[in-house]
């Protein structure tokens, strides 16, 4: 009986620990404006907190998100992420925001956010969007138009593709102050140092020359 209680307690502890590690912590104060200088600061969740009596509106605001971004790169998209690095007042609040600009037929390539679920709203143009579930890897897709909303669950590979002949714009909310991003092609073929070509040859089941070619390409970062 004691063994059963121990296993149950261990399972609950492990589950609690996994939840604690997977999501941003709940704040225990009104806000914690992030500062890099530890003088007169308190260390919370990877950042030092400014004295709340010294906080100003500037700590909680950003201007210029209405300005179109340059989409002349190889993938034809540009992501402007407002995370804790750009709005210090986001620290410990568990959210961030992104504007995504797409050239005609531009792509926000398949990528993941290791620490955030994303909710996307199209405000201009039309986007073919989707994500891939964990094994057995089912693809869930939809074409979105202005006013349409789509959710990409945390940690799953997802993408957006402008299917129109005009520019497109979307805004995305993310459930972390620092969601992170891993662009799949960049990570696999453009890592530094590169992944051993034999590993990728076997993983993708292609000729090694194909892997060598891909690893020599310049992989665009659209952030």
């Amino acid at each position: 009986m004691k063994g059963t209680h121990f296993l149950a307690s261990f399972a609950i502890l492990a589950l609690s620990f996994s939840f604690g590690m997977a999501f941003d912590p709940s704040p225990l104060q009104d806000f914690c404006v992030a500062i890099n200088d530890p003088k007169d600061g308190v260390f919370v969740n990877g950042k030092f907190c400014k004295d709340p009596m010294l906080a100003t509106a500037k700590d909680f605001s950003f201007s210029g998100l209405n300005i179109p971004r340059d989409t002349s790169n190889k993938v034809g998209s540009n992501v402007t992420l407002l995370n804790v690095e750009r709005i210090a007042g986001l620290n410990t609040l568990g959210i961030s925001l992104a504007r995504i600009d797409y050239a005609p037929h531009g792509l926000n390539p398949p990528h993941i956010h290791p620490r955030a679920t994303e909710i996307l709203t199209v405000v201009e143009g039309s986007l073919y969007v989707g994500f891939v579930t964990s094994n057995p890897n089912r693809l869930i897709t939809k074409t979105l138009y202005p006013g349409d909303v789509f959710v990409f669950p945390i940690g799953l590979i997802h993408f957006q593709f402008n299917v129109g002949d005009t520019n497109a714009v979307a805004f995305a909310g993310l459930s972390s102050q620092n969601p992170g991003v891993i662009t799949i092609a960049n990570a696999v073929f453009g890592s530094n140092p590169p992944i051993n070509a034999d590993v990728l040859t076997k993983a993708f089941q292609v000729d090694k020359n194909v892997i060598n070619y891909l690893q020599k390409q310049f992989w665009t970062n659209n952030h």
Side-chain angles (χ1 to χ4, degrees), residues 51-89:
D51 182 339
M53 297 303 295
L54 301 178
T56 67
K58 184 178 179 180
D59 296 319
F60 301 92
S61 63
F62 177 92
S63 297
L65 207 59
N66 60 314
I67 301 172
R69 266 49 181 184
D70 181 11
T71 57
S72 61
N73 55 52
K74 290 174 67 175
V75 295
S77 68
N78 191 317
V79 179
T80 304
L81 176 63
L82 302 184
N83 60 5
V84 68
E85 301 302 328
R86 287 192 166 180
I87 302 179

Side-chain angles (χ1 to χ4, degrees), residues 152-171:
F152 305 103
I154 184 171
L156 297 186
I157 295 174
H158 60 283
F159 61 87
Q160 302 106 35
F161 178 60
N162 182 1
V163 293
D165 296 323
T166 61
N167 293 334
V169 180
F171 287 88

